[in-house]
């Protein structure tokens, strides 16, 4: 697979997805760190904000892994967003929209109401 034309096609598609995710997340006002790869590190905010946003994301169908201290520096929380070649642009755009909605809900205090509604 690695040396095949199918492998080449998948790598190109994956990198296209990576670049689309990085630019979309940055355009939405989030910080993206690191070099382009299949794992996109996104900084959602402070520790408390990151935890609440992660909960919102998971409750709304987005899969994110929150990395916290001591795996990263104190107050250096980040999401590890894993991309694959077969993610669609629509899926990536939906993820970004969910991240924006999470930020808005948490910032406005609506996340507490949403948590109570799903409990």
């Amino acid at each position: 697979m690695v040396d095949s034309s199918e492998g080449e096609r998948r790598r190109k598609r994956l990198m296209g997805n990576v670049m689309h995710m990085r630019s979309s997340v940055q355009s939405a006002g989030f910080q993206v760190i690191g070099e382009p790869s299949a794992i996109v590190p996104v900084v959602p905010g402070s520790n408390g904000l990151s935890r609440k946003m992660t909960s919102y994301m998971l409750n709304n169908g987005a899969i994110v892994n929150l990395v916290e201290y001591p795996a990263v520096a104190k107050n250096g929380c980040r999401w590890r967003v894993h991309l694959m070649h077969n993610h669609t642009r629509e899926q990536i755009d939906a993820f970004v929209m969910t991240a924006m909605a999470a930020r808005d809900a948490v910032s406005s205090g609506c996340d507490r109401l949403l948590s109570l509604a799903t409990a």
Side-chain angles (χ1 to χ4, degrees), residues 8-85:
E8 180 67 23
R9 185 188 67 77
R10 289 183 183 197
R11 283 188 297 280
K12 284 182 181 177
R13 171 102 192 236
L14 173 60
M15 191 50 68
N17 285 345
V18 167
M19 299 311 288
H20 181 67
M21 173 67 87
R22 290 178 70 90
S23 66
S24 296
V25 168
Q26 287 173 326
S27 293
F30 292 95
Q31 180 185 7
V32 179
I33 55 180
E35 297 296 320
S37 74
I39 298 173
V40 180
V42 177
V43 179
S46 67
N47 287 353
L49 182 69
S50 295
R51 287 186 193 119
K52 290 177 180 181
M53 287 179 62
T54 299
S55 178
Y56 182 98
M57 296 290 283
L58 295 171
N59 287 331
N60 287 278
I63 300 173
V64 294
N65 296 309
L66 180 63
V67 183
E68 300 180 85
Y69 176 82
V72 294
K74 287 184 179 179
N75 295 313
C77 288
R78 63 196 65 166
W79 287 332
R80 284 176 53 106
V81 181
H82 302 258
L83 289 172
M84 296 174 47
H85 78 280

Side-chain angles (χ1 to χ4, degrees), residues 93-114:
D93 293 343
F95 175 90
V96 174
M97 295 299 292
T98 304
M100 292 168 56
R103 181 181 54 209
D104 294 345
V106 170
S107 296
S108 68
C110 291
D111 64 307
R112 188 173 104 56
L113 297 174
L114 293 170

